[in-house]
Amino acid sequence: MKTDLNVIEVPYKVKYTNKGAIPIGQLVESLLAYEKLLKRVSPFIEEACKGATVVDIEVLVCKVEAGSLLEDFLIRIVFKDKANYDQAIEVAGKMFESNPVLTGAVVIGVAAFIGFGVRNALINQGVTTPSTSIVAYSGAIVQTGGEMNISEKAITDILNKTKDKKKLSQEAIAVISPAQLEEGAAIEFNDNQLKDLTITPAFAKEAPSKYEPPEKTQDTEVLLNTEIEIWASDKDSSTRSWAGIVPGRINKRIKFELNEAINPNDLHGTRSVHADIVITTELDPNKKEFLPRKVEILKIYNFSERIRTELNKVIIGQDDMIDFMIIGLLTNGHILLEGVPGIAKTLSAKMLAKTISSG
């Protein structure tokens, strides 16, 4: 890592595991798309190095190797002033040898934008229920982000603030396209140091090969883990009589619809929840602008589900123990964990406390 006045340089490597040659056109498109994605990651760097402000990111291509295609970049992160630079060094410098914070933030940022761009492209094609591999990739981003002091809420907020979702989807598809040329090809980042963020063959296969925009008169926007208020509901229908608002985004009553995976009876009577939603807007010919028409609720986050999801990220093979801990918590009872050393009792208790305190 090289430093200069208010500038930190970090490496970023991409490896496509293709065995065959990649056409020049697709190679150039992927390089250009990576440059645009890398220039988007400032919010992730600022979140990892709280207190620092990034004013510019310069992307340099150091090397491109054939075979299993390797694209080697150098990222020059320009901070606002000397104080911001010192803040970044203070946060990252303590951990560089074993945990490169800035490099990790860059990798996580690019991975998050790729995943979000692909999901947005799929939704525009009518695929509102993400596949197992895409859900797993989103979970890996959240888990790895937590290790870099980038919370799930921070990741969600950054992605939801993306205004040019069409361009983002096009960039994500362009970087994945070389891996779609061969069955079994994957994309690895930074010598596969963050293995969980590898784009698997299954993910690459399920991603669209091209971006297909929605009709000119209609558009959609995806918001993840977003608060909604339910003002009207029907326990017997997923589409009839549901309405509410999305605080801060849609403050007037709007029609709600439930995804087929949600049982209306489970949500009936609930006032406020967090959910993954799709806002559909339509072009008003008189006002010449897109106005919200309906909100589709894709997934509901309940308290016990959030706890189980967070614990399962780090605790493997202890489903019964996790269930008993949740039961004890919800019934306001005492919890005693017993067992031989090495079954993650202490880690489970710490993760439970951390999950509760973070909401």
Coordinates of all heavy atoms in Angstrom, one line a residue, residues 14-24 27 63-71 178-179 181-182 185-188:
V14 N -9.3 -8.8 -10.0 CA -10.5 -9.6 -10.4 C -9.9 -10.8 -11.2 O -9.2 -10.6 -12.1 CB -11.4 -8.8 -11.2 CG1 -12.6 -9.7 -11.6 CG2 -11.9 -7.6 -10.4
K15 N -10.4 -12.0 -10.9 CA -10.0 -13.2 -11.7 C -11.2 -13.9 -12.2 O -12.1 -14.3 -11.4 CB -9.1 -14.1 -10.8 CG -8.7 -15.4 -11.6 CD -7.9 -16.3 -10.7 CE -7.5 -17.6 -11.4 NZ -6.7 -18.5 -10.5
Y16 N -11.3 -14.1 -13.5 CA -12.3 -15.0 -14.1 C -11.7 -16.3 -14.3 O -10.6 -16.5 -14.9 CB -12.8 -14.4 -15.4 CG -13.5 -13.1 -15.3 CD1 -12.8 -11.9 -15.3 CD2 -14.9 -13.0 -15.3 CE1 -13.5 -10.7 -15.2 CE2 -15.6 -11.8 -15.2 CZ -14.9 -10.6 -15.2 OH -15.5 -9.4 -15.1
T17 N -12.4 -17.4 -13.8 CA -11.8 -18.7 -13.9 C -12.1 -19.4 -15.2 O -12.1 -20.6 -15.3 CB -12.4 -19.6 -12.7 OG1 -13.8 -19.7 -12.8 CG2 -12.0 -19.0 -11.4
N18 N -12.4 -18.6 -16.2 CA -12.7 -19.2 -17.6 C -11.4 -19.9 -18.1 O -10.3 -19.5 -17.8 CB -13.0 -18.1 -18.6 CG -14.3 -17.3 -18.2 OD1 -14.4 -16.9 -17.1 ND2 -15.2 -17.2 -19.1
K19 N -11.6 -21.0 -18.8 CA -10.5 -21.7 -19.4 C -10.3 -21.3 -20.8 O -9.2 -21.4 -21.3 CB -10.8 -23.2 -19.3 CG -10.9 -23.8 -17.9 CD -11.1 -25.3 -17.9 CE -11.2 -25.9 -16.5 NZ -11.5 -27.3 -16.5
G20 N -11.3 -20.8 -21.5 CA -11.2 -20.4 -22.9 C -11.0 -18.9 -23.0 O -11.0 -18.2 -22.0
A21 N -10.7 -18.4 -24.2 CA -10.5 -17.0 -24.4 C -11.7 -16.2 -24.3 O -12.9 -16.7 -24.5 CB -9.9 -16.9 -25.8
I22 N -11.6 -14.9 -23.9 CA -12.7 -14.0 -23.8 C -12.6 -13.0 -24.9 O -11.5 -12.4 -25.1 CB -12.7 -13.3 -22.4 CG1 -12.9 -14.4 -21.3 CG2 -13.7 -12.2 -22.3 CD1 -12.8 -13.8 -19.9
P23 N -13.6 -12.7 -25.7 CA -13.6 -11.8 -26.7 C -13.1 -10.4 -26.2 O -13.5 -10.0 -25.1 CB -15.0 -11.7 -27.3 CG -15.6 -13.1 -26.9 CD -14.9 -13.4 -25.6
I24 N -12.4 -9.7 -27.1 CA -11.9 -8.4 -26.7 C -13.0 -7.4 -26.3 O -12.9 -6.7 -25.4 CB -11.0 -7.8 -27.9 CG1 -9.8 -8.6 -28.1 CG2 -10.7 -6.3 -27.6 CD1 -8.8 -8.5 -27.0
L27 N -14.1 -8.1 -22.8 CA -13.1 -7.7 -21.9 C -13.0 -6.2 -21.7 O -13.0 -5.8 -20.5 CB -11.7 -8.2 -22.5 CG -10.5 -7.7 -21.7 CD1 -10.5 -8.2 -20.3 CD2 -9.2 -8.2 -22.4
K63 N -2.5 -4.3 -14.9 CA -2.2 -5.5 -15.7 C -3.4 -6.3 -16.0 O -4.4 -6.4 -15.3 CB -1.2 -6.4 -14.8 CG -0.8 -7.7 -15.5 CD 0.3 -8.4 -14.7 CE -0.1 -8.7 -13.3 NZ 0.9 -9.4 -12.5
V64 N -3.4 -6.8 -17.2 CA -4.4 -7.8 -17.7 C -3.7 -9.0 -18.2 O -2.9 -8.9 -19.1 CB -5.3 -7.1 -18.8 CG1 -6.4 -8.2 -19.3 CG2 -6.0 -5.9 -18.3
E65 N -4.0 -10.2 -17.6 CA -3.4 -11.4 -18.0 C -4.4 -12.3 -18.7 O -5.6 -12.4 -18.2 CB -2.8 -12.1 -16.8 CG -1.6 -11.4 -16.2 CD -0.9 -12.2 -15.1 OE1 -1.4 -13.3 -14.8 OE2 0.0 -11.7 -14.5
A66 N -4.0 -13.1 -19.7 CA -4.8 -14.1 -20.3 C -4.8 -15.4 -19.5 O -4.3 -15.4 -18.4 CB -4.3 -14.3 -21.8
G67 N -5.4 -16.4 -20.1 CA -5.5 -17.7 -19.4 C -6.8 -17.6 -18.6 O -7.9 -17.2 -19.1
S68 N -6.7 -17.9 -17.3 CA -7.8 -17.5 -16.4 C -7.7 -16.0 -16.2 O -6.7 -15.5 -15.6 CB -7.6 -18.2 -15.0 OG -7.9 -19.5 -15.1
L69 N -8.6 -15.2 -16.9 CA -8.4 -13.8 -17.0 C -8.2 -13.1 -15.7 O -9.0 -13.2 -14.8 CB -9.6 -13.2 -17.7 CG -9.7 -11.7 -17.9 CD1 -8.5 -11.2 -18.8 CD2 -11.0 -11.2 -18.5
L70 N -7.1 -12.3 -15.6 CA -6.8 -11.6 -14.4 C -6.8 -10.1 -14.7 O -6.1 -9.7 -15.6 CB -5.5 -12.0 -13.8 CG -5.0 -11.2 -12.6 CD1 -5.9 -11.4 -11.4 CD2 -3.6 -11.5 -12.2
E71 N -7.6 -9.3 -14.0 CA -7.6 -7.8 -14.2 C -7.1 -7.2 -12.9 O -7.7 -7.4 -11.8 CB -9.1 -7.3 -14.5 CG -9.6 -7.9 -15.8 CD -11.0 -7.5 -16.1 OE1 -11.7 -7.0 -15.2 OE2 -11.5 -7.7 -17.2
P178 N -18.4 -12.0 -18.9 CA -17.4 -13.0 -19.2 C -17.5 -14.3 -18.6 O -17.2 -15.4 -19.2 CB -16.1 -12.3 -18.8 CG -16.4 -10.8 -18.8 CD -17.8 -10.8 -18.4
A179 N -18.0 -14.4 -17.3 CA -18.2 -15.6 -16.6 C -19.4 -16.4 -17.2 O -19.4 -17.7 -17.0 CB -18.4 -15.4 -15.1
L181 N -19.8 -17.0 -20.3 CA -19.4 -17.6 -21.5 C -19.1 -19.1 -21.3 O -19.2 -19.8 -22.3 CB -18.1 -16.9 -22.1 CG -18.3 -15.5 -22.5 CD1 -16.9 -14.9 -22.8 CD2 -19.2 -15.3 -23.7
E182 N -18.8 -19.5 -20.1 CA -18.5 -20.9 -19.9 C -19.2 -21.5 -18.7 O -19.4 -20.8 -17.7 CB -17.0 -21.0 -19.5 CG -16.1 -20.9 -20.7 CD -14.6 -21.1 -20.3 OE1 -14.4 -21.8 -19.3 OE2 -13.7 -20.7 -21.1
A185 N -17.8 -21.2 -14.7 CA -16.8 -20.1 -14.5 C -17.3 -19.3 -13.3 O -18.5 -19.0 -13.2 CB -16.7 -19.3 -15.8
A186 N -16.3 -18.8 -12.5 CA -16.6 -18.0 -11.4 C -15.8 -16.7 -11.5 O -14.9 -16.6 -12.3 CB -16.4 -18.7 -10.1
I187 N -16.1 -15.8 -10.6 CA -15.3 -14.5 -10.5 C -14.8 -14.4 -9.1 O -15.6 -14.3 -8.1 CB -16.2 -13.3 -10.9 CG1 -16.9 -13.5 -12.2 CG2 -15.3 -12.0 -10.9 CD1 -17.8 -12.4 -12.6
E188 N -13.5 -14.3 -8.9 CA -12.8 -14.1 -7.6 C -12.2 -12.8 -7.5 O -11.8 -12.2 -8.4 CB -11.7 -15.2 -7.4 CG -12.2 -16.6 -7.6 CD -11.1 -17.7 -7.6 OE1 -9.9 -17.2 -7.6 OE2 -11.4 -18.9 -7.6

